[in-house]
Amino acid sequence: MVEKRIVLKSATELAKMRRAGRIVAEVLAALREMIRPGLTTAALEARAVELATRLGGIPSFKGYNGFPAALCVSVNDEVVHGIPGSRRLLEGDIVSLDFGAIYEGYHGDGAITVPVGSVSAEAARLLRVTEEALALGIAAAREGNRLLAIGRAIQEHVEAAGFSVVRDLVGHGIGRAMHEPPQVPNYVAGFTYNPRLRRGMTLAIEPMVNVGGFEVRTLLDGWTVVTKDGSLSAHFEHTVVITEGEPEIMTRL
Ligand code: MG
């Protein structure tokens, strides 16, 4: 596989990415507060657009490769790229919210999975393990480490918990474009491109974790990715920059 050059960001660029990331963080925090049984997924979309715009950001997903919304809302066995609409959240659901924003030409990208009311012990454990896996992946994203250290840390934690890491979708470099080199896999098998991480690299790290098998399929709407076995799936994502020390998380309040 040919990998194009990884762009290192200047201080000026990082300042813009910080603003974009802050907008994503504020939107996701506001949406988390709204989650309750009976809410439509379209109401989450409307709030995301309204708040991001008020904060000076441009939602980045709408129209991206033709995606019809600004927010991805993926419920239960939906992994990613769910399209908001008339569906109402139910007590016991888990809902993944993925949002991206642009500020002065620079992107931020983040995701959280939220319980709707009280959820099963298994669903709660899935959310905890996936969020922990993201934290471990971020902790591995240090200057001098290699890229696949991120996926190794994520995969080890997820599989030790008895869950599986989605293979068909990966994290990515981010900056002037939402998707830049390199791909940031959440597992290591089959990947040979493994550069050293350098300060100024900006990555969207985003484990997608299934209770059952790792296999996924896409629904007939052309977007919604679901687990093949119908098991629950969770997704947490942060945009980070590699520094001389701990990575800086740009999509956290
Ligand atoms: Mg992403």
Side-chain angles (χ1 to χ4, degrees):
M1 182 172 57
V2 177
E3 279 282 348
K4 281 181 272 181
R5 195 168 66 88
I6 301 172
V7 180
L8 303 179
K9 274 67 176 187
S10 68
T12 310
E13 291 178 298
L14 291 174
K16 292 175 180 175
M17 290 190 69
R18 235 167 247 130
R19 293 288 297 270
R22 173 90 194 179
I23 292 166
V24 169
E26 292 206 24
V27 166
L28 290 176
L31 298 183
R32 178 194 285 279
E33 290 300 307
M34 289 174 71
I35 296 292
R36 56 176 169 72
L39 187 74
T40 66
T41 57
L44 293 163
E45 160 83 8
R47 176 70 172 138
V49 171
E50 180 269 322
L51 181 54
T53 306
R54 185 150 55 78
L55 295 171
I58 300 168
S60 55
F61 294 175
K62 190 156 190 170
Y64 188 85
N65 291 331
F67 188 73
L71 179 73
C72 297
V73 184
S74 307
V75 181
N76 294 339
D77 64 323
E78 297 174 351
V79 179
V80 287
H81 304 163
I83 301 168
S86 58
R87 180 173 185 164
R88 288 182 189 278
L89 300 176
L90 300 174
E91 176 89 20
D93 283 347
I94 58 171
V95 56
S96 298
L97 307 169
D98 190 354
F99 187 71
I102 307 167
Y103 181 83
E104 291 188 1
Y106 287 83
H107 288 251
D109 191 2
I112 54 174
T113 303
V114 183
V116 183
S118 66
V119 301
S120 69
E122 184 172 69
R125 192 168 72 90
L126 174 69
L127 301 197
R128 179 173 56 75
V129 167
T130 307
E131 194 167 16
E132 288 168 352
L134 172 58
L136 291 166
I138 291 170
R142 292 185 77 109
E143 184 170 53
N145 279 359
R146 288 192 183 272
L147 176 68
L148 292 182
I150 298 170
R152 186 171 298 109
I154 290 169
Q155 182 176 17
E156 280 178 4
H157 187 65
V158 167
E159 293 182 354
F163 298 142
S164 64
V165 172
V166 171
R167 308 289 170 96
D168 288 2
L169 297 141
V170 296
H172 48 93
I174 181 169
R176 265 203 176 283
M178 181 158 63
H179 294 123
E180 293 184 353
Q183 291 192 316
V184 183
N186 301 302
Y187 59 98
V188 291
F191 279 85
T192 53
Y193 181 69
N194 193 17
R196 279 203 193 282
L197 299 174
R198 295 175 58 193
R199 70 185 72 180
M201 286 184 181
T202 42
L203 306 174
I205 302 175
E206 50 175 324
M208 289 148 269
V209 176
N210 299 346
V211 165
F214 65 78
E215 299 89 350
V216 298
R217 66 188 176 90
T218 304
L219 298 185
L220 289 173
D221 65 17
W223 283 105
T224 311
V225 177
V226 299
T227 58
K228 222 171 212 172
D229 59 12
S231 67
L232 294 175
S233 187
H235 179 208
F236 284 85
E237 175 178 24
H238 275 307
T239 296
V240 307
V241 56
I242 309 299
T243 73
E244 65 283 6
E246 277 184 29
E248 177 189 341
I249 300 174
M250 297 170 135
T251 43
R252 186 160 71 184
L253 289 180

